[in-house]
Amino acid sequence: AYEIVSRDWSSDVCSSDLSLVTLSGSSSYKAILDITQTTSGASIKSLSSSGTAAKDLVYLGAKTLTLSNANNTFAGVIADAGGITSATGGGLTLSAGTETLTNANTYTGTTTVGTGSQTADVTLALGTSGAISSSLVTLNGSSSYKAILDITQTTSGASIKSLSSSGTAANDLVYRSEEHTSELQSRET
C-alpha cells in the first residue's frame, strides 16, 4: 500500500510556495511526493522526513524541485524514476537556507545551490550517508551570499558526478573535514 503525499500538479506549477513538506512513511506504507507530471517542476519551502527513510520518497521524473527556504533534514530518497511518469533528469535547486540530505539519492539532473536572488548564504549539506553521486552540482554564489556544499557530516566523504561554479568563485565553497579531503570525487562525463 502507498500513502501519496502530493497535490495534483499535473495542470499547473505551484505558483506560490507550499510550506514545509514532511514525508512520514513506515514499514507498512510509503510516503511519496511525486512531481513527475508538473508542467515545469514544483517549489516548496523546505523538505523533511520523519518516517522510515527508505519509505520516504520524492519522485522528480525530468522536473526540478525547488526548495525556496530550506531549513530541514531529509532522510528519504530523491529519485528520477518511480513516479507516475518514468522520465529521468530531474534536479534539485536550493534558493535559500540549508537543507541536509542524509541518504543516497539517485536523481540524475543538476543540483543548484543558490539562484542569484538571495542575500544570505545557501547550503546543501550531506550528512551521514548522504550522497548525490549521479548529479552535477552547480554552486552559484554572488557578492552578497555564499553557495556552499558541506560534506563535513558524512561518514565516508561524498561522491558527485561533477562540480561547477557559475557564480562568484570566491563565494562558491565546498566544506569538508580533513579526513574526507580525498573523498570528494568529481567524475566528469
Side-chain angles (χ1 to χ4, degrees):
Y2 289 88
E3 175 182 345
I4 305 297
V5 180
S6 176
R7 160 185 161 183
D8 181 6
W9 288 333
S10 59
S11 62
D12 67 335
V13 174
C14 197
S15 58
S16 61
D17 292 336
L18 294 174
S19 58
L20 166 68
V21 172
T22 300
L23 301 181
S24 186
S26 74
S27 59
S28 58
Y29 63 88
K30 296 177 181 179
I32 299 169
L33 173 63
D34 185 338
I35 67 165
T36 62
Q37 291 190 314
T38 62
T39 303
S40 59
S43 179
I44 60 175
K45 288 186 179 174
S46 196
L47 179 65
S48 73
S49 56
S50 62
T52 303
K55 301 288 186 164
D56 294 340
L57 305 168
V58 175
Y59 294 132
L60 304 173
K63 309 302 182 191
T64 297
L65 177 63
T66 299
L67 303 180
S68 66
N69 195 16
N71 189 25
N72 283 288
T73 298
F74 183 67
V77 176
I78 303 172
D80 291 337
I84 294 171
T85 62
S86 60
T88 60
L92 179 67
T93 296
L94 273 75
S95 296
T98 298
E99 185 75 18
T100 302
L101 304 177
T102 62
N103 207 335
N105 297 281
T106 60
Y107 65 94
T108 59
T110 300
T111 301
T112 303
V113 181
T115 58
S117 60
Q118 63 278 4
T119 57
D121 295 351
V122 181
T123 303
L124 174 62
L126 300 177
T128 317
S129 300
I132 48 174
S133 60
S134 297
S135 179
L136 161 81
V137 176
T138 300
L139 300 176
N140 188 24
S142 78
S143 59
S144 61
Y145 69 91
K146 294 177 178 122
I148 301 164
L149 173 62
D150 182 348
I151 65 167
T152 59
Q153 300 303 311
T154 61
T155 53
S156 59
S159 177
I160 59 177
K161 185 175 181 180
S162 64
L163 178 65
S164 70
S165 171
S166 65
T168 303
N171 281 336
D172 290 345
L173 307 171
V174 176
Y175 293 161
R176 65 196 189 291
S177 64
E178 288 299 315
E179 67 187 84
H180 296 144
T181 298
S182 64
E183 298 292 332
L184 181 63
Q185 304 166 1
S186 177
R187 299 184 320 246
E188 296 287 340
T189 55

